[in-house]
Amino acid sequence: MLQSSFTLILGIALGFRIAAEGPVALASWPVAGVAMSSLGSVVVLMAPAARVEVLARVLAVVHIAALGMLAHGPEVGISSGLVVFPSIWLGLELGQRGVALATGATVAFVAVPGLLSRGVDLVNVEWLLLLTVLAGFSAFATNAALAAARTAQARAEAREAELAVALEVIERNRRSAHAVFEAVDVGLALLDREGRPTLVNQRFTGFSDLAFPVADPAAGVVFDESGTAQLPSEQVPTSRARRGEEFDDVRVWVGRDDGARRALSMSARRVEAADGRVVGAALSCTDVTDLMRALKVKEDFVALVSHELRTPLTSIVGYVAVALERTDLDPVLHKQLDAVARNGQRLERLVQDLLDEVQHSAGPIPLREQDTDLAVIVRECVAGARPQASRVGVQLDAEVPEQIAFTGDPQRLAQVVDNLVSNAIKYTEPGGSARVLATVDDGCVRITIKDTGIGIEPADQARMFSRFVRGAEANRRAIQGIGLGLSIAKSIVESHGGQIEVDSAPGCGSEFRVVLPLHAAQLAS
Ligand code: ADP
């Protein structure tokens, strides 16, 4: 259609020429050109659809030839510039071949006949050369623009395909993440900045229903680790996470009904945006009901056994002590009774440790505080440990000031020093030494127990203060112990507001440091 409409333009151009130059004979080149173009257009319009494409290309060449005929005359008409249109068409349809065809047709039908009819002068040559270049360049530019457009389109399509693949991957990952989110045995929830849940898995919902049987957050049934004291709403882990707190392994019981209630271990982390703003919180909770019930059974069992052992043991130790006071004892029997007394006392300490562990495992050890002299306590502990030290060939020294006024529980503090000193002797080989140093500075009492013993692996050092944890070397050498002394010592020291720490190197020895803050009154005195 576009090609055919060009005939109309040729007709108009002929009209202009007649208007400018006067009537043109019917049997003239210009009229023949327009007639040829019209005929070509009619042929294309009437051709079967399958042939239109080829014929339209031929028609473009016919139009160039018609333009050449239309321009026939003494002067080069401006209408020859119309050669641009069929050239564009050829460039568009045939690419590089179209460029060659447009240039060739312009040379053959416009330039050469023009030169032949008007003579070879500079103006003619210049004008016809320009016309040829214009035709070729139009076809070329169209072809180049088309190629660029096609490349851009191909790139856009490739990008679209990449995007579709990326979207598919994202969607697949989202589905996988969601499947994992729902399948894990852990309750998970994501809260927004206002503390509203934005993402919650089924498991979390189940625990939440137990903890908050009615929708009101203030009416939750959440209990502390012991399962007896109900937590105030602001202490409930979800409320703490909403306030931006981070925590690990906070244990709570949810639900009132004994059969259905569950023990949960909850952790929370803040969710921060790239600029560090807090935008929410992530909460996780694991069902630790079986573990907590097993621990309870263990504690009940240990308590029962320790209690049942303590009474007969106290009696044995007491009677042996009385027997040892007799002066008429056979020396061999005295030695044997001495061994019974020593081991009885060790057993007593062990049972006491087990009882302490069971009774105070969940919190600080209660203290019977009074004004006391820490220097006396340390000296007595060292004196009490001397027989053990000389028996195993460890040299025990102490450097303690005359007096250290302190307010605390003397029995518990003695338990700490006893434990650390007896460990220093127990974990030092014969020929080694242990040294106890007590000082007062910076408002603190420092008690240092240093030995030249087997030491503790760096990786084990922090764990040594946990319950029932023993060092690998202690286990390997089968040194007696159950791994409770340090954990109890830590609880006692912390109950006094102090700290206990260790520096140790395997094979070189250990240094345990107890730092206890002095009360304001003692500092003033
Ligand atoms: P126990 O001595 O009954 O095992 P403790 O709680 O007193 O329990 O000590 C825990 C562990 O710490 C010990 O098993 C031992 O591995 C390590 N440990 C404690 N004191 C020392 C020490 N002075 N030297 C080397 N290792 C020690």
Side-chain angles (χ1 to χ4, degrees):
M1 280 297 286
L2 209 64
Q3 280 290 328
S4 307
S5 58
F6 190 71
T7 305
L8 214 61
I9 297 173
L10 287 181
I12 293 169
L14 180 61
F16 275 121
R17 179 156 176 187
I18 293 169
E21 297 174 12
V24 180
L26 216 55
S28 63
W29 285 106
V31 175
V34 174
M36 187 174 77
S37 162
S38 310
L39 190 67
S41 296
V42 170
V43 170
V44 171
L45 285 175
M46 294 185 62
R51 314 195 67 183
V52 165
E53 204 176 329
V54 179
L55 287 173
R57 290 170 191 169
V58 176
L59 185 59
V61 178
V62 168
H63 282 152
I64 293 175
L67 269 170
M69 290 156 83
L70 187 66
H72 190 270
E75 282 185 26
V76 184
I78 198 87
S79 58
S80 337
L82 292 173
V83 77
V84 167
F85 293 105
S87 301
I88 288 176
W89 175 264
L90 286 170
L92 205 65
E93 284 294 301
L94 296 174
Q96 300 290 353
R97 281 182 298 133
V99 177
L101 202 59
T103 315
T106 308
V107 170
F109 301 124
V110 182
V112 174
L115 287 176
L116 290 179
S117 63
R118 279 175 229 123
V120 184
D121 63 27
L122 196 65
V123 176
N124 270 342
V125 170
E126 191 185 343
W127 172 241
L128 291 168
L129 202 65
L130 193 75
L131 215 59
T132 307
V133 170
L134 194 66
F137 184 74
S138 309
F140 173 79
T142 310
N143 177 44
L146 191 69
R150 282 200 183 119
T151 312
Q153 188 184 2
R155 244 187 248 138
E157 277 171 8
R159 234 173 264 148
E160 205 173 303
E162 273 170 23
L163 201 67
V165 171
L167 282 175
E168 200 190 309
V169 171
I170 290 171
E171 177 61 14
R172 206 180 321 129
N173 287 349
R174 193 191 67 77
R175 282 171 187 277
S176 312
H178 189 72
V180 174
F181 186 68
E182 285 300 345
V184 285
D185 201 22
V186 178
L188 295 169
L190 205 61
L191 310 179
D192 67 12
R193 202 183 336 202
E194 273 71 46
R196 287 178 304 237
T198 51
L199 208 57
V200 177
N201 71 357
Q202 287 293 325
R203 196 122 177 92
F204 195 94
T205 310
F207 295 142
S208 217
D209 292 347
L210 263 181
F212 301 98
V214 289
D216 180 8
V221 274
V222 182
F223 298 84
D224 68 356
E225 184 168 1
S226 69
T228 48
Q230 188 162 347
L231 288 179
S233 61
E234 70 278 2
Q235 286 298 316
V236 171
T238 33
S239 311
R240 291 175 55 190
R242 267 187 208 118
R243 291 198 299 269
E245 276 185 50
E246 292 195 329
F247 48 83
D248 279 308
D249 195 21
V250 169
R251 295 188 187 171
V252 292
W253 283 89
V254 293
R256 208 180 285 283
D257 176 17
D258 243 2
R261 71 195 317 220
R262 311 297 300 169
L264 304 179
S265 159
M266 302 194 66
S267 302
R269 287 286 175 278
R270 278 193 297 270
V271 180
E272 292 175 357
D275 60 4
R277 270 179 313 116
V278 176
V279 290
L283 262 170
S284 77
C285 52
T286 317
D287 189 336
V288 289
T289 312
D290 292 343
L291 172 74
M292 297 288 276
R293 293 209 166 120
L295 281 177
K296 178 85 178 71
V297 170
K298 184 201 82 177
E299 283 170 8
D300 289 350
F301 175 76
V302 173
L304 184 81
V305 172
S306 317
H307 191 261
E308 293 304 307
L309 282 177
R310 200 154 69 148
T311 320
L313 202 58
T314 313
S315 156
I316 292 169
V317 170
Y319 278 114
V320 171
V322 171
L324 275 171
E325 278 169 15
R326 287 177 56 170
T327 48
D328 56 342
L329 276 184
D330 172 64
V332 177
L333 183 61
H334 191 282
K335 209 172 159 197
Q336 288 166 343
L337 278 179
D338 204 31
V340 172
R342 243 185 1 258
N343 283 299
Q345 279 160 3
R346 237 183 69 205
L347 212 52
E348 247 186 345
R349 262 206 311 275
L350 203 71
V351 169
Q352 185 57 48
D353 277 359
L354 285 171
L355 274 173
D356 277 345
E357 149 63 19
V358 171
Q359 286 164 356
H360 310 304
S361 59
I365 292 186
L367 302 175
R368 289 204 200 115
E369 289 196 310
Q370 61 187 70
D371 289 340
T372 182
D373 185 347
L374 253 179
V376 172
I377 292 175
V378 175
R379 268 198 297 272
E380 279 177 359
C381 289
V382 172
R386 276 202 201 286
Q388 185 200 355
S390 55
R391 214 174 24 253
V392 295
V394 172
Q395 188 191 329
L396 178 62
D397 295 319
E399 196 178 314
V400 184
E402 200 54 37
Q403 191 197 13
I404 304 174
F406 189 77
T407 304
D409 185 329
Q411 272 189 350
R412 292 296 189 186
L413 291 167
Q415 198 178 346
V416 172
V417 182
D418 264 343
N419 196 284
L420 296 176
V421 174
S422 77
N423 273 355
I425 298 168
K426 190 162 71 167
Y427 294 109
T428 300
E429 283 158 321
S433 65
R435 186 172 168 71
V436 182
L437 188 72
T439 53
V440 180
D441 56 59
D442 279 348
C444 292
V445 183
R446 280 170 216 277
I447 305 169
T448 309
I449 297 100
K450 194 173 161 70
D451 64 56
T452 58
I454 61 172
I456 308 170
E457 293 284 341
D460 280 347
Q461 287 176 23
R463 298 192 313 123
M464 287 301 116
F465 295 97
S466 303
R467 293 180 275 160
F468 298 110
V469 173
R470 304 206 67 216
E473 191 59 19
N475 275 330
R476 204 178 59 74
R477 295 183 184 223
I479 300 172
Q480 282 183 337
I482 52 169
L484 274 182
L486 286 183
S487 108
I488 293 170
K490 185 170 191 269
S491 299
I492 295 172
V493 171
E494 285 175 354
S495 300
H496 282 86
Q499 279 180 29
I500 182 167
E501 47 198 36
V502 60
D503 268 338
S504 184
C508 298
S510 312
E511 179 177 306
F512 283 85
R513 284 182 303 276
V514 173
V515 182
L516 294 163
L518 285 167
H519 291 225
Q522 291 156 354
L523 283 172
S525 67

